[in-house]
Amino acid sequence: RGDLLMDKKRIMIIDGNSLMYRAFYGLRLLTTSKGIYTNAVYGFTNMLFNLIEEYHPHYIGVAFDLKGPTFRHEVYKDYKGNRTKTPEELLPQFPLVKNLLRAMDIDIYEEEGYEADDILGTFSKIAEDEGNKTYLVTGDRDALQLVSDNTILLLNRRGTTDMQVFRPKEVKEVYGIKPEQVIDQKALMGDSSDNIPGVPGVGVKTSLKLLNQFQTLDGVYSNIDEISGKKLKENLITYKEQAYLSQILSKIIKDVPIDIHLQEASYKIPKTRELRSVLEELEFNSIIGRLNLEEVDRDKEPFIDSSKILTIDSLKEMKDVIKDIPQSKRVSILVDDNYL
């Protein structure tokens, strides 16, 4: 994180899973001539280029969820237990979009045991610490809790173009609470989309009333005798433990152990043969035209630096080499069938 100190930067972190889902449901199914589904990748890519053109970020990263449980499942095994299975037409599009991001020199962030939200939270903490402007792009309103003077939320509400900008002022105007109260609101009212239980009988209006009066979840329980309404008071007392469990589940983590490498210069879409080839494989001809990539290095053979060619004779050697390759670099492997 030290390179953040040299200059104030515009950092953009995108919730890849959230925007891929939005793009998938926002566009009709598209396939290539080979029958490969691409509608989510196409929608995501257009959103990405629109964001680059409008905000000119110095740095872009995209965070994805990994398969498997997170620390929240250890706390509450039914967390997100009501989620439907990822559509079969969407699932194979995730490797496609990651391949495209690599061709665009955009870093991909994934961490076992955490969600993409937590990676966004970690970048928001950097913004708070170093005074950089961080733009978080997602369709998930949970990220409202991360909004601050240095962290701006671009909330995708529907389709691929509808982005609403949230600073602390807009959070208060639209939702009636401060960003730091978003966690406690979810703790009180729960969230059916994530299967967070909350307190039965507490909805939006009641949670707003309680938080405007007592500010925090701790404030509610410190002043429980002042709560009006017998049934509400009974539910708050009966489900106190459940409310605090919901608070833990709702809070986005800000210290995910990830390596961050920020470039010195503003991000620019690379005009490379590799990117054009990836877009051609996806049959995104309109995007190739949008980026003026039609004639980029069309007649040139790729340059291979012979000094960087390694011969590997064992699995141990392979593991050692892979361990030392930076995540941002690409590598090609030629297998000798005769040797095998």
Side-chain angles (χ1 to χ4, degrees):
R1 298 182 183 181
D3 48 358
L4 283 167
L5 295 170
M6 291 183 285
D7 192 17
K8 304 303 180 187
K9 301 177 186 294
R10 289 185 302 279
I11 301 166
M12 179 171 286
I13 305 299
I14 296 169
D15 183 337
N17 286 75
S18 176
L19 261 63
M20 282 288 282
Y21 270 88
R22 293 299 178 111
F24 179 78
Y25 288 109
L27 296 175
R28 63 180 177 82
L29 283 177
L30 300 173
T31 63
T32 67
S33 58
K34 296 178 182 177
I36 298 169
Y37 290 106
T38 58
N39 63 315
V41 184
Y42 184 77
F44 179 97
T45 304
N46 275 310
M47 280 194 275
L48 178 60
F49 290 148
N50 289 340
L51 290 165
I52 291 169
E53 288 171 1
E54 184 168 355
Y55 292 95
H56 304 288
H58 290 86
Y59 176 81
I60 307 176
V62 181
F64 288 97
D65 296 328
L66 286 174
K67 279 186 176 181
T70 68
F71 73 92
R72 292 179 180 87
H73 292 92
E74 295 173 9
V75 175
Y76 183 57
K77 64 181 177 60
D78 292 327
Y79 175 68
K80 290 191 175 180
N82 57 349
R83 287 287 176 97
T84 56
K85 194 175 178 182
T86 303
E88 290 183 9
E89 299 89 349
L90 172 59
L91 202 56
Q93 295 192 55
F94 283 99
L96 297 178
V97 81
K98 290 176 185 178
N99 191 43
L100 176 61
L101 291 170
R102 292 186 191 100
M104 292 180 65
D105 290 334
I106 291 177
D107 287 331
I108 294 170
Y109 292 96
E110 301 170 312
E111 189 64 32
E112 206 169 299
Y114 297 92
E115 297 178 61
D117 281 354
D118 299 314
I119 295 171
L120 268 63
T122 300
F123 274 94
S124 77
K125 179 68 163 56
I126 294 172
E128 292 166 15
D129 290 347
E130 308 295 350
N132 293 282
K133 284 291 182 188
T134 295
Y135 295 85
L136 308 178
V137 187
T138 181
D140 189 344
R141 286 185 295 178
D142 289 350
L144 289 163
Q145 65 185 266
L146 302 173
V147 172
S148 70
D149 290 337
N150 287 324
T151 300
I152 297 165
L153 176 64
L154 305 178
L155 187 67
N156 177 245
R157 296 189 299 179
R158 58 182 174 271
T160 58
T161 57
D162 188 357
M163 294 279 183
Q164 186 171 4
V165 179
F166 281 97
R167 300 174 185 84
K169 178 171 71 84
E170 286 84 10
V171 176
K172 182 69 175 176
E173 287 174 355
V174 175
Y175 293 101
I177 51 176
K178 301 172 186 175
E180 58 268 27
Q181 293 177 303
V182 169
I183 302 167
D184 287 348
Q185 185 183 43
K186 284 191 69 173
L188 286 165
M189 60 182 282
D191 184 349
S192 59
S193 66
D194 288 338
N195 208 31
I196 295 175
V199 177
V202 176
V204 175
K205 287 178 67 175
T206 302
S207 66
L208 285 175
K209 180 182 176 183
L210 290 170
L211 289 174
N212 283 322
Q213 185 174 358
F214 302 113
Q215 302 305 312
T216 65
L217 186 66
D218 286 340
V220 170
Y221 281 103
S222 296
N223 298 279
I224 196 71
D225 291 334
E226 296 181 33
I227 303 293
S228 58
K230 182 181 177 183
K231 185 62 177 174
L232 173 60
K233 186 175 179 179
E234 283 179 1
N235 281 351
L236 285 167
I237 293 170
T238 302
Y239 295 98
K240 179 178 179 179
E241 186 176 336
Q242 189 164 287
Y244 278 98
L245 167 66
S246 299
Q247 184 189 54
I248 293 169
L249 297 173
S250 301
K251 185 175 182 180
I252 293 175
I253 299 301
K254 294 184 177 182
D255 57 357
V256 177
I258 51 174
D259 290 327
I260 298 166
H261 307 285
L262 302 184
Q263 293 89 344
E264 294 300 318
S266 297
Y267 174 79
K268 299 212 179 297
I269 299 170
K271 307 288 186 178
T272 61
R273 181 177 183 177
E274 180 187 14
L275 178 55
R276 195 196 69 236
S277 296
V278 171
L279 291 169
E280 284 176 340
E281 188 70 22
L282 293 167
E283 299 177 7
F284 289 173
N285 296 324
S286 63
I287 294 177
I288 291 172
R290 177 177 180 176
L291 299 179
N292 298 315
L293 290 173
E294 294 95 335
E295 301 303 323
V296 171
D297 289 337
R298 182 168 291 280
D299 298 322
K300 292 183 181 179
E301 288 299 318
F303 173 73
I304 298 175
D305 184 349
S306 60
S307 68
K308 295 182 179 179
I309 296 177
L310 300 174
T311 301
I312 298 170
D313 297 317
S314 69
L315 181 59
K316 182 181 182 305
E317 274 187 82
M318 172 70 83
K319 289 179 178 177
D320 290 340
V321 169
I322 289 174
K323 184 175 63 177
D324 293 332
I325 297 173
Q327 288 187 355
S328 59
K329 300 296 182 184
R330 294 174 65 79
V331 63
S332 296
I333 298 174
L334 176 64
V335 178
D336 186 345
D337 292 334
N338 294 324
Y339 179 81
L340 293 174

